[in-house]
Amino acid sequence: MFDLVAVHTSRYIVCNLRAIFIGSIRVIIEQDLEWVQQSEAMVTVVVVINILISLVLLYVASRVRKLKQRLARLTNIFIAAERSSHRVLYGAPVAISTGQRNVHNLRQTNQSPQIQIQRVRQIFSLLALGQQVWRRNFLRLRSKPLKKRK
């Protein structure tokens, strides 16, 4: 009988342990199921956020591409303008220095006539001044009546 009681007791213990174990497993599984559901919701949120970020970055990439194309066009325009101005202005330094030399030479050759012209002007000015002085004195002498001698 002792063996029978021991067997029943051990079965009872095993059944209770099994029930406790199964109950614990159920609780764990239920918690895991809640966690999985929460995880699924979080994964969904993360996926949606990633899709939104991807769409924003795709838009930014398209704007950057358009900007790159505009900059390439502007670069080509500036290069063409630089080439054109280079062709036009390539001989400018030589022409400028030649012009400066010519102006210097003309100033040197015109300097002596300029001095001569200035001297002639001074002479004419002196003559005009002398003429004015002579007229004043001559008019004074004419305007004074001559005294008769008694």
Side-chain angles (χ1 to χ4, degrees):
M1 172 112 184
F2 183 70
D3 282 338
L4 191 61
V5 174
V7 169
H8 274 310
T9 307
S10 53
R11 276 187 184 172
Y12 177 74
I13 292 174
V14 168
C15 283
N16 281 339
L17 283 176
R18 192 181 306 166
I20 292 172
F21 181 71
I22 290 174
S24 298
I25 289 177
R26 272 190 193 150
V27 169
I28 292 172
I29 290 174
E30 286 173 359
Q31 289 175 349
D32 284 347
L33 189 58
E34 283 180 31
W35 183 82
V36 166
Q37 289 172 348
Q38 289 174 353
S39 296
E40 285 177 358
M42 289 192 312
V43 167
T44 304
V45 169
V46 168
V47 168
V48 168
I49 289 173
N50 282 340
I51 289 172
L52 291 175
I53 290 172
S54 297
L55 290 174
V56 168
L57 291 177
L58 183 64
Y59 174 75
V60 169
S62 71
R63 297 299 294 174
V64 168
R65 183 173 176 230
K66 286 181 182 179
L67 180 64
K68 179 184 171 187
Q69 290 171 349
R70 286 181 186 162
L71 288 175
R73 274 189 252 130
L74 281 175
T75 301
N76 291 337
I77 290 169
F78 285 136
I79 288 172
E82 192 274 332
R83 285 179 184 161
S84 174
S85 64
H86 179 74
R87 267 187 252 118
V88 169
L89 299 175
Y90 178 72
V94 174
I96 290 171
S97 64
T98 303
Q100 285 176 341
R101 267 187 269 121
N102 290 341
V103 167
H104 178 72
N105 291 339
L106 282 174
R107 284 185 180 159
Q108 291 298 322
T109 57
N110 287 340
Q111 190 172 14
S112 61
Q114 290 290 342
I115 292 172
Q116 290 174 356
I117 290 171
Q118 185 178 6
R119 286 183 183 159
V120 169
R121 284 183 181 161
Q122 287 175 349
I123 291 170
F124 279 125
S125 295
L126 284 174
L127 286 174
L129 181 64
Q131 186 180 16
Q132 286 176 359
V133 169
W134 184 76
R135 282 185 183 168
R136 283 183 193 160
N137 286 335
F138 182 73
L139 288 175
R140 265 193 218 159
L141 287 175
R142 260 179 134 185
S143 64
K144 285 185 183 179
L146 292 175
K147 290 185 184 179
K148 291 185 181 178
R149 286 189 189 180
K150 296 186 192 181

